Amino acid sequence: MLDTNQLPGASTSRVDASDWCPVTAPAIPTRVVLLTGPSGSGKSSLAARTGLPVLRLDDFYKEADDPTLPRVPGSPDIDWDSPLSWDADAAVAAVVELCRTGRTAVPEYDIATSSRTGTTLFGVDGTPLFVAEGIFAADIVTRLREHGVLADALCLRGRPSTTFRRRLLRDLREGRKSVPFLLRRGWRLMRAERGIVARQASLGAHPCGKAEALGRVAAAAGRGAGSTAAATAPAAGV
């Protein structure tokens, strides 16, 4: 039997353990699954079904008086579907801070008035994985991968007519904008939906239906809980 009280060289001196430092496993890093897709594709409902903390990236929209807001070509309407209407830098900073510290301050955004009404402290409570969802999530895939915090990036896709109907009913119910604006926007987005999905895929988001998206989130959660080595590897298909 191995005598653990002996030092190399058969010395009978006992080891003084008073100065030993305990060896602990490295903490599993917190990572993020980005969930994107056309407006009305079901991102929010699917994110809620994962049971993970959910960061709403749409809360990082710019305010209505921001001079950098883009316009719809040939129209006085603000183009809220352009990534230029969104503060990508602030969104990246918030996601990275969440992954590194477990909490961050996020804006409270009122879509109806296109304004920030305050801030709130958002935390992930030590969870090794959370979801960040929004229509511009694909625009920060590369930056979050460079920061080493990206677990996966998914783009929900479906039938444009279904997305149109779901989006319009939601926006009317919540009073997000005027009815004429919602109808103009909805028609424009329905015609552009396939191009929107193609663009998000080109930015690194994997196009899929809801069932596959839930499976990939579950797989990412399993990797995060299972090993730190897996947590540092990029997800397949991202």
Side-chain angles (χ1 to χ4, degrees):
M1 179 181 294
L2 178 64
D3 185 353
T4 57
N5 289 322
Q6 288 191 0
L7 294 174
S11 169
T12 58
S13 299
R14 288 184 176 271
V15 176
D16 182 0
S18 61
D19 293 328
W20 280 16
C21 294
V23 176
T24 58
I28 297 174
T30 297
R31 297 188 304 155
V32 62
V33 172
L34 292 177
L35 180 60
T36 190
S39 175
S41 58
K43 298 180 295 297
S44 297
S45 59
L46 185 135
R49 288 176 61 188
T50 68
L52 296 170
V54 179
L55 176 66
R56 287 171 36 92
L57 293 177
D58 288 353
D59 285 332
F60 292 90
Y61 263 118
K62 297 176 182 179
E63 297 190 88
D65 60 354
D66 191 311
T68 66
L69 283 172
R71 301 283 172 174
V72 176
S75 167
D77 292 341
I78 294 173
D79 188 357
W80 296 109
D81 298 291
S82 165
L84 296 177
S85 67
W86 187 64
D87 191 343
D89 291 342
V92 168
V95 171
V96 172
E97 185 174 28
L98 270 174
C99 291
R100 292 178 177 171
T101 71
R103 58 185 54 211
T104 190
V106 298
E108 295 175 353
Y109 193 88
D110 181 35
I111 292 179
T113 61
S114 305
S115 63
R116 295 182 180 182
T117 59
T119 59
T120 187
L121 187 63
F122 181 83
V124 295
D125 299 323
T127 305
L129 190 72
F130 68 96
V131 175
E133 64 92 3
I135 64 173
F136 304 122
D139 286 81
I140 58 176
V141 166
T142 298
R143 293 171 66 177
L144 293 184
R145 183 182 291 121
E146 290 171 350
H147 280 288
V149 299
L150 184 67
D152 206 346
L154 310 173
C155 172
L156 289 184
R157 64 180 176 187
R159 298 178 63 179
S161 59
T162 301
T163 305
F164 170 85
R165 182 175 64 254
R166 184 188 296 121
R167 177 176 55 242
L168 183 60
L169 291 174
R170 177 203 65 194
D171 291 351
L172 289 172
R173 182 178 64 251
E174 297 179 5
R176 293 191 170 194
K177 302 292 179 185
S178 69
V179 174
F181 177 91
L182 294 177
L183 289 172
R184 290 194 302 271
R185 175 179 182 251
W187 178 248
R188 185 175 69 251
L189 290 180
M190 185 174 69
R191 290 182 296 172
E193 182 160 325
R194 288 185 174 85
I196 292 170
V197 172
R199 176 182 179 274
Q200 293 172 344
S202 72
L203 292 171
H206 173 70
C208 58
K210 293 182 179 180
E212 183 181 355
L214 286 171
R216 289 177 69 110
V217 172
R223 289 194 298 270
S227 73
T228 56
T232 59
V238 175

